[in-house]
Amino acid sequence: MKSMAHLGVGIGWRPEIADAVERLPGLDWVEVVAENICPGHLPASLLRLRERGVRVVPHGVSLGLGGAERPDAAKLAALGERAVALGAPLVTEHIAFVRTGSPVLEAGHLLPVQRTRDALDVLCENVRIAQDALPVPLALENIAALISWPGEELTEGRFLTELVERTGVRLLIDVANLHTNRVNRGEDPFAVLDAIPLEALAYVHVAGGVERGGVWHDTHAHPVPPVVLDILAELRGRVEPAGVLLERDDDFPAEAELAAELAAIRAVVTAAGPSPARPAPHAPDTSDARDAWHAPDASAAPGTPGASGKPGAPGASGGCGAPQGCAAPGAPAGLERARVRVGLEQAALLSALVAGTPVPEGFDRQRVRVQARALAAKRAGVVAKLAPELPGILGGEDPYREAFLDYARNRPMTAGYRRDALDFAEHLLIRDLPADPAARRRLTAWWQDRAGARPPRRIVRWARTLVGRAA
């Protein structure tokens, strides 16, 4: 595997801090959420950074390569187009699923895949499809998880190692996510670093979070805690990463605080000396602890349901061909059966998270409830950002959030956040809400301007209510 080009220390570019990012001293590179930019209309700030020689890497959030469906051809083409427009040396995505195809459900968040042989076979083929379609190398990120799947067959380290061995894909290691999984799932971050092939490391993410009630929330809205910098130092003691990047997505601090966090990261990356002492994980890791460098066992039987759960993004599934890729012996028929099994397991979990169906057997029901509330809250927050008029029409943030969470309880997202905002408005209008006539007129006008249609007439609203459309 060729060595990665040097990136240095960088920060996630966000529109809210664009001016501050341009002024940060010693900035080497930035990463941008791929879905948030248009190749033909790049933000002026990104263009100025590129003119200064600052590299820009697109970071995708909507492919869902860990899902049972093959990657969507349009999404792959869009990601590649952004890489070309930015002159990027690589693109990055996540080891996650974000949707299911049957039923059609969107998580709006990155959810971990089952660490089973079935899921690994499916992931590998999806990665091969993506690699063939993209114009630059691909790197995949380990994600943070709140819940664990039952019946997992592989440790995180072995799962990542076999993924690299079978596809040649690079890894984007998020040390904050390693800490999150230590708190939430009892996984030792240093055991993961022991197991994975660090020569495949593309770069590293660093971010902040917060612990509430024994659960670590990977918020990207809090300062980077010392424990995350300790894991970064441990990684740095093993390998010199080509790049390290600070992620901040909300509750942005003052420019001086961002600069200080970057300086702290740079100090860890450039420091020499022994690695810090290793804190013990919160709970024992009971998953398979076989040697992570052992070659894959081609005779291993497909697994039972298993994996763990957490964050993602919107979109729709589709197909872009089905090369054999890294399918296990017996494919394609065996691989197609694995896709079905993985799809059923993921649909059962996602339906419990976003549609209120029963929690699948073997999951921690309390954790699933916590995750479901987190997904609904995130959904409400994203819709409010995309449609900031809605809280104003509904009388403020609290009434908006209460109304949206009531709507979302039994109305899973199926077509992304923008469609979700329109569906929410229609949901209210069907119920003759808001109660204030003036506010209802404003909501009607808002919906009509964006939907390009007339709101349903009263008789239609009654009919929909009777058949359960408004349930």
Side-chain angles (χ1 to χ4, degrees), residues 176 179-180 207-212 216-225 228:
H179 173 65
T180 300
V210 65
E211 187 170 354
R212 299 190 190 99
W216 187 268
H217 297 272
D218 181 45
T219 64
H220 294 191
H222 292 80
V224 177
V228 170

Side-chain angles (χ1 to χ4, degrees), residues 38 175 180 217 350 446:
C38 178
V175 292
T180 300
H217 297 272
L350 185 52
W446 181 92

Side-chain angles (χ1 to χ4, degrees), residues 20 55 67 78 121 149 152 177 251 352 391 402 414 418 436 462 468:
R55 281 184 165 171
D121 289 343
W149 289 77
E152 293 199 310
N177 290 349
D251 196 16
E402 181 180 354
T414 59
R418 294 186 188 280
D436 175 56
W462 287 345

